[in-house]
Amino acid sequence: GESVGLHLPTLSVQEGDNSIINCAYSNSASDYFIWYKQESGKGPQFIIDIRSNMDKRQGQRVTVLLNKTVKHLSLQIAATQPGDSAVYFCAENIRGSQGAQKLVFGQGTRLTINP
Amino acid sequence: NAGVMQNPRHLVRRRGQEARLRCSPMKGHSHVYWYRQLPEEGLKFMVYLQKENIIDESGMPKERFSAEFPKEGPSILRIQQVVRGDSAAYFCASSLPSWYQETQYFGPGTRLLVL
């Protein structure tokens, strides 16, 4: 079936440290993945995406790694800041017939940055 | 503000009333998606629309829920005869008009509370 799940529901790190958030997906045919950040009371905010023809993609302080063999995604945040505190979701873009598309979200990981 | 707009941000309804949620996509985006989020959970896909067309409504409850995206004006998610279980945050996302997998950008959401 379609499902995207996260290994760790909560994660606390010290400010300035690096953090890694993990995600497993089950649809081996999926070829597009996105990480979103959601702060309290707000909508999901796009962070970074990766397509299946890549293993790694880097942004500003963030890196996404994709391991298709074990169907695993990770989001690495370098030098964490208080503003990084939020819930992080991985999402898998599922394509259907006639161009239909939808995102399947994981449950989310709550990241807390300690001063 | 070039982002996805949603209104109202908060909506309170009594059981049996109707709820209308509106979404204006980002400029240049003609694809709209609606998702529902329960507390402490990930977002769940409801419906995918293009202008005047419903492409995929596989996530919509069969009764009481409907969505439209007219040629002019915002997309509307309508919930008739609301029940307490409809209380949730409803998010709209939009993407570029492309058959390729395009990034979905989310609005701030409408938080519906059914009394």
Side-chain angles (χ1 to χ4, degrees):
Chain A
E2 304 166 354
S3 68
V4 179
L6 296 172
H7 295 307
L8 297 174
T10 61
L11 179 65
S12 292
V13 300
Q14 292 298 122
E15 183 179 351
D17 287 353
N18 299 334
S19 65
I20 299 175
I21 300 172
N22 295 302
C23 175
Y25 64 94
S26 61
N27 191 335
S28 56
S30 295
D31 59 3
Y32 182 48
F33 306 87
I34 311 101
W35 281 99
Y36 287 93
K37 171 186 179 183
Q38 187 176 27
E39 296 174 277
S40 180
K42 297 183 179 180
Q45 175 189 354
F46 171 87
I47 301 174
I48 193 167
D49 59 1
I50 189 167
R51 301 192 186 271
S52 60
N53 61 350
M54 302 174 71
D55 297 322
K56 178 180 179 179
R57 190 161 187 225
Q58 288 184 291
Q60 187 177 13
R61 287 200 304 117
V62 294
T63 301
V64 55
L65 299 177
L66 174 62
N67 186 331
K68 296 180 286 293
T69 302
V70 295
K71 291 185 286 188
H72 182 269
L73 273 169
S74 67
L75 176 69
Q76 300 176 1
I77 305 174
T80 52
Q81 303 169 357
D84 294 330
S85 293
V87 177
Y88 289 80
F89 294 97
C90 65
E92 180 182 12
N93 195 355
I94 304 290
R95 292 198 73 171
S97 60
Q98 300 179 350
Q101 300 181 46
K102 63 182 178 183
L103 293 175
V104 175
F105 282 81
Q107 186 177 9
T109 293
R110 185 177 301 280
L111 176 65
T112 302
I113 309 302
N114 301 314
Chain B
N1 185 349
V4 178
M5 308 275 286
Q6 288 188 252
N7 67 82
R9 295 291 307 277
H10 300 273
L11 183 60
V12 180
R13 285 288 178 266
R14 296 191 180 280
R15 281 179 296 171
Q17 291 184 321
E18 177 180 288
R20 282 190 177 227
L21 287 62
R22 288 175 289 277
C23 169
S24 296
M26 288 177 67
K27 187 175 182 181
H29 288 192
S30 59
H31 293 195
V32 166
Y33 314 77
W34 285 94
Y35 293 82
R36 176 164 63 178
Q37 184 179 35
L38 296 174
E40 301 297 309
E41 292 189 8
L43 284 72
K44 296 286 194 290
F45 169 80
M46 299 180 73
V47 62
Y48 166 34
L49 311 105
Q50 297 173 18
K51 285 283 187 181
E52 300 184 282
N53 283 306
I54 297 175
I55 305 301
D56 181 357
E57 56 182 345
S58 60
M60 288 275 274
K62 293 288 184 277
E63 297 178 350
R64 301 188 298 107
F65 284 72
S66 62
E68 63 176 7
F69 189 16
K71 186 177 180 180
E72 301 291 337
S75 175
I76 306 287
L77 179 66
R78 182 183 179 202
I79 310 173
Q80 296 178 291
Q81 300 174 344
V82 295
V83 301
R84 288 200 175 131
D86 296 333
S87 295
Y90 292 84
F91 291 97
C92 168
S94 71
S95 70
L96 287 169
S98 169
W99 292 114
Y100 193 57
Q101 288 166 329
E102 292 291 345
T103 304
Q104 294 181 29
Y105 294 92
F106 285 82
T110 294
R111 279 139 188 91
L112 173 65
L113 175 62
V114 179
L115 301 177

